[in-house]
Amino acid sequence: MAKDDEDGYDSKIPEGLTGTVLFPIVNATDALASIQILLETGAKRTPFKHHTPSFLSSCRTAFESSAQAIWIMSPEDRDSRRARAAGLARIGTEHAREFQSEAINAHDNKLLVMPDKSYEQSKRQHQFYQDELDVLDTLPQQKGGGYTAMVRKAANWLQDNPPFHTTDMDGKHFPTIMKQQYRVCSSFTHGHSWPTDLVNGPSALFAMMADAIATAVISTECAIALFEAQSTDPASGRTNHYPDRLQPTIDGWRDRYL
């Protein structure tokens, strides 16, 4: 991964390739950590009150964030990884520029007036993001086709390259599982009630939650393993902050990215 950011590439896209994949992984792991807190505190305060919509929405965050990282890192060709990172970085930078555009326009139209200092900062930030976009447009870019498409593509890659640390995917078609879980969890994010038609009692509800969290954990673990496979040297003596159980997958995927 250090080689992916060589030759000044890390200064051409915001946060470099490393940062572009790292933040989604952090986002995914934070979603899982929040689910744990939700389960521990919610159930203690009110038995069987597990806040299912929030639980499943957080699973969706884990799916979507980890899939972005997997989609970027999975190609064995460095140019492809760089192009995907640049394509995803452009989306985030566009959103950042648009946020500042909206803040400036709201101020100019007296809809949400800012202090003068904040207004000038917004204009500088807007130009900063525009400059980043201008640099990005000089680079090859590959678009993921939207977040739903990246979830599907990441699941397809995992089906073809199953992790070594778990047998939970054995004999299963992971893209189908991921597609179904992403659909169910997304419905709660968007406020749709149709998945409740699939539930006819607490057991079915808990089964739905169990399927979602199992898929979210696998996806997030694989994103972490792929990152570590490309960014860590086993001979470095560094302290590893990932679970030991991921080591077989990290070792199994490492050689293809030398």
Side-chain angles (χ1 to χ4, degrees):
M1 190 170 288
K3 292 180 180 179
D4 288 353
D5 274 334
E6 279 183 346
D7 306 323
Y9 194 79
D10 58 341
S11 64
K12 294 178 181 178
I13 68 174
E15 302 176 326
L17 185 146
T18 302
T20 301
V21 297
L22 183 57
F23 188 80
I25 295 173
V26 171
N27 214 38
T29 57
D30 185 74
L32 296 182
S34 298
I35 288 173
Q36 180 180 355
I37 295 170
L38 178 68
L39 291 177
E40 289 178 346
T41 59
K44 287 179 180 178
R45 291 178 179 175
T46 308
F48 298 104
K49 182 64 173 177
H50 293 90
H51 302 284
T52 301
S54 297
F55 178 103
L56 295 174
S57 292
S58 293
C59 287
R60 179 186 188 266
T61 297
F63 298 156
E64 199 167 271
S65 296
S66 57
Q68 293 177 54
I70 293 170
W71 177 73
I72 291 174
M73 293 186 291
S74 57
E76 297 180 25
D77 175 67
R78 175 164 293 116
D79 289 340
S80 295
R81 294 196 296 273
R82 285 183 165 187
R84 291 184 179 193
L88 191 61
R90 194 183 204 290
I91 294 173
T93 306
E94 284 178 339
H95 291 171
R97 182 192 59 181
E98 288 166 4
F99 175 86
Q100 297 299 342
S101 291
E102 291 166 358
I104 293 167
N105 289 336
H107 178 89
D108 291 343
N109 291 304
K110 303 296 189 290
L111 300 175
L112 188 62
V113 176
M114 296 181 281
D116 291 343
K117 184 177 181 179
S118 298
Y119 180 62
E120 293 302 320
Q121 288 176 338
S122 286
K123 290 196 293 185
R124 286 194 295 271
Q125 283 293 105
H126 183 274
Q127 186 59 52
F128 174 80
Y129 293 128
Q130 182 59 58
D131 292 343
E132 287 190 329
L133 289 171
D134 292 341
V135 174
L136 282 167
D137 284 341
T138 66
L139 305 174
Q141 297 178 30
Q142 182 178 348
K143 302 297 174 65
Y147 298 108
T148 301
M150 281 188 279
V151 168
R152 173 178 52 80
K153 292 173 182 178
N156 287 339
W157 187 85
L158 292 177
Q159 182 70 23
D160 295 336
N161 302 271
F164 299 93
H165 71 275
T166 179
T167 59
D168 290 347
M169 292 171 55
D170 292 357
K172 301 174 183 176
H173 190 251
F174 191 67
T176 297
I177 294 172
M178 177 67 91
K179 184 187 298 183
Q180 289 181 336
Q181 295 305 315
Y182 188 63
R183 180 79 67 183
V184 167
C185 293
S186 294
S187 71
F188 286 96
T189 300
H190 298 303
H192 299 306
S193 64
W194 65 262
T196 60
D197 296 336
L198 306 174
V199 176
N200 58 355
S203 295
L205 179 64
F206 292 149
M208 178 183 288
M209 295 169 69
D211 289 342
I213 192 63
T215 308
V217 168
I218 289 174
S219 180
T220 302
E221 286 181 342
C222 288
I224 293 170
L226 199 51
F227 181 89
E228 296 292 341
Q230 297 183 32
S231 63
T232 58
D233 180 356
S236 67
R238 72 184 286 270
T239 299
N240 296 324
H241 298 287
Y242 53 80
D244 291 339
R245 65 186 297 268
L246 300 185
Q247 197 64 55
T249 299
I250 296 169
D251 293 338
W253 286 346
R254 178 179 284 118
D255 289 347
R256 67 179 65 186
Y257 295 104
L258 294 177

